[in-house]
Amino acid sequence: MTQHSVPSSKLPQTGTSIFTVMSQMAAECGAINLSQGFPDFPVDPALIDLAAKYMKEGHNQYAPMAGLSALREAIAEKTRRLHGRTYNPETEVTVTAGATQAIFTAITTLVKEEDEVLIFSPAYDCYAPPVLLCGGKPVFAELRAPDFCPDWDEVKRRVNRKTKLIIINTPHNPSGTVWTEDDMRELEKIVVSTGAFVLSDEVYEHIVFDGAEHHSAARFEALAAHSVITASFGKTFHATGWKMGYAIAPEALMREFRKVHQYLVFCVNHPLQRALADYLADEKNYLNVSPMYEARRDYFIKALEGSRFKVVPAQGTYFQLLNYSEISKKSEVKFAEELTRKHGVASIPVSVFYPQPQEQRILRFCFAKHPDTLASAAEKLKAL
Ligand code: PMP
Ligand code: GLN
């Protein structure tokens, strides 16, 4: 028998992502899947038609390395209109294979051995692993229930000369919190005094509720000068399977980013870039996303009225946290499993997004779903 050699793991603490685990459990048990964040309703047929048109017209070979000019121009124009900052599409915008690739590229570009990277936990799962692969050290600042607001004194205590990068995410997955202008200014002061870079993960930029605003890092002069901003067309246009996104950053930073990008992926899906460039020309296509999701959030919360789950309405993203402390004393992981297997609704335990599991009796539910799906899930949750 052939003896296979086993590599020594570069990520010994990393297992299979919670999104895979919970989606598989939901499929096995036939549970309603409100765990992994993906919409269950279709992409706008107009966008599908554009994609099909460009494939049929033969735009099926490599796109330029940094992305199609037309799409980079549309991204720069959207950023200028919404946030008042002009990025040069030639040198400061790069189209990526989803935000995940943009995040991996940005971290790999910036982090060297021994560098510290400040991450706010609960944190989306793709930040720490690339830091570790680069020999860097993730340092965590905690956001706590129920409001998940940053504690700036704690942040200041965690930042030092070794802090190369601060990773932020607003609107925030999994809490649904939206950072205020004051939060961004606090961050800006820290960045100015330490010279740290910022990775501002803004994938939910177009999903903000109750008249609140998304305060992009692009809005703040000194912050923008230190930041790579990452975004996702998958989130904005409910096409998570397309894995299309982008990064924007000042020229010197973007020059280094592209050195990594070109060997990680070189370029991304060409016909979809053409389709997205056309589709971005009509601002309604992204400005209407917040009200559409706000209606779904409200529908889900209304359908849960009378349940023993406690709700603090999400300010943004398509995730709603529900607190089950009146229902069970079990850990979040155990209760999420029980809810999936016995009660037919899959969710995500928030505890797994902390470096050391925190038990706050909170689960995350994705409401990017058809109202019938939300109504059936709410019925099951109300029975508890
Ligand atoms: N950041 C956050 C906070 C996310 O929730 C996601 C979800 N997919 C991503 C990044 C990755 O986006 P994409 O699917 O475009 O890679
Ligand atoms: N961003 C999605 C979520 O938070 C999951 C994406 C993935 O499965 N990696 O649910």
Side-chain angles (χ1 to χ4, degrees):
M1 224 211 293
T2 320
Q3 204 63 28
H4 294 285
S5 51
V6 180
S8 93
S9 177
K10 294 182 87 173
L11 296 171
Q13 309 302 328
T14 304
T16 305
S17 113
I18 189 72
F19 307 114
T20 307
V21 171
M22 294 311 296
S23 278
Q24 270 174 3
M25 199 186 291
E28 257 167 54
C29 314
I32 300 174
N33 189 4
L34 304 189
S35 64
Q36 192 181 21
F38 63 88
D40 74 347
F41 44 88
V43 173
D44 182 351
L47 181 53
I48 300 280
D49 286 348
L50 285 168
K53 175 179 112 143
Y54 286 118
M55 282 187 200
K56 284 184 190 149
E57 282 180 5
H59 298 285
N60 297 308
Q61 308 309 329
Y62 292 132
M65 184 271 277
L68 218 63
S69 286
L71 180 53
R72 285 188 274 140
E73 278 159 23
I75 292 165
E77 176 54 19
K78 173 168 89 75
T79 309
R80 190 194 60 73
R81 259 194 264 163
L82 295 180
H83 306 306
R85 184 161 313 281
T86 304
Y87 286 85
N88 182 339
E90 281 309 305
T91 53
E92 299 183 317
V93 179
T94 298
V95 183
T96 60
T100 309
Q101 186 239 311
I103 291 164
F104 195 99
T105 306
I107 292 171
T108 316
T109 301
L110 290 166
V111 177
K112 295 183 179 164
E113 292 225 348
E114 313 287 318
D115 283 344
E116 294 190 4
V117 177
L118 187 86
I119 299 176
F120 290 86
S121 63
Y124 185 60
D125 65 349
C126 80
Y127 306 145
V131 173
L132 294 169
L133 290 173
C134 293
K137 181 178 167 211
V139 173
F140 294 92
E142 267 180 29
L143 309 168
R144 291 172 202 94
D147 58 14
F148 294 91
C149 292
D151 171 344
W152 289 108
D153 290 329
E154 185 191 341
V155 175
K156 282 176 207 152
R157 284 197 299 275
R158 303 246 183 274
V159 171
N160 62 51
R161 285 182 296 109
K162 288 187 167 174
T163 310
K164 173 61 74 65
L165 179 65
I166 300 176
I167 303 180
I168 68 162
N169 168 221
T170 180
H172 181 248
N173 180 12
S175 72
T177 300
V178 174
W179 280 23
T180 62
E181 186 175 342
D182 284 349
D183 287 324
M184 299 304 277
R185 292 213 183 278
E186 288 293 336
L187 175 67
E188 186 171 45
K189 278 190 240 159
I190 291 173
V191 162
V192 168
S193 71
T194 61
F197 291 99
V198 170
L199 167 53
S200 185
D201 181 7
E202 303 185 10
V203 296
Y204 300 102
E205 60 184 327
H206 297 297
I207 313 182
V208 178
F209 310 135
D210 305 318
E213 265 187 77
H214 167 58
H215 296 288
S216 171
R219 290 192 178 182
F220 305 85
E221 181 82 40
L223 195 49
H226 286 77
S227 295
V228 180
I229 297 171
T230 56
S232 171
F233 292 117
K235 302 288 169 196
T236 301
F237 299 135
H238 12 289
T240 59
W242 285 12
K243 293 302 293 187
M244 295 292 288
Y246 61 89
I248 53 180
E251 184 170 347
L253 196 39
M254 186 51 80
R255 192 179 309 122
E256 293 303 313
F257 179 101
R258 285 184 184 170
K259 288 183 190 173
V260 179
H261 172 83
Q262 69 181 341
Y263 295 118
L264 188 54
V265 61
F266 187 70
C267 66
V268 306
N269 193 306
H270 184 169
L272 294 185
Q273 290 194 55
R274 289 191 181 261
L276 288 163
D278 289 0
Y279 198 66
L280 279 180
D282 183 352
E283 63 176 13
K284 285 201 292 308
N285 288 333
Y286 49 85
L287 295 182
N288 287 343
V289 177
S290 285
M292 182 273 286
Y293 278 121
E294 186 169 326
R296 280 174 212 264
R297 178 203 64 174
D298 292 347
Y299 182 90
F300 186 48
I301 292 177
K302 183 117 191 47
L304 282 167
E305 265 175 19
S307 103
R308 292 199 292 159
F309 285 95
K310 272 189 276 182
V311 186
V312 179
Q315 300 169 342
T317 75
Y318 44 51
F319 302 114
Q320 177 62 56
L321 297 185
L322 298 180
N323 178 305
Y324 62 87
S325 47
E326 280 183 23
I327 302 171
S328 172
K329 292 200 172 358
K330 294 210 165 108
S331 74
E332 293 181 13
V333 168
K334 284 255 169 345
F335 190 63
E337 181 169 351
E338 179 177 308
L339 205 56
T340 312
R341 296 196 188 279
K342 278 208 206 148
H343 304 282
V345 183
S347 60
I348 298 282
V350 170
S351 59
V352 302
F353 296 112
Y354 286 96
Q356 266 86 40
Q358 299 279 324
E359 292 299 342
Q360 303 179 101
R361 305 218 174 91
I362 294 171
L363 301 178
R364 191 199 80 173
F365 295 78
C366 173
F367 58 81
K369 304 292 171 190
H370 192 279
D372 293 347
T373 316
L374 296 175
S376 312
E379 266 321 294
K380 290 178 189 291
L381 296 175
K382 275 204 289 202
L384 271 95

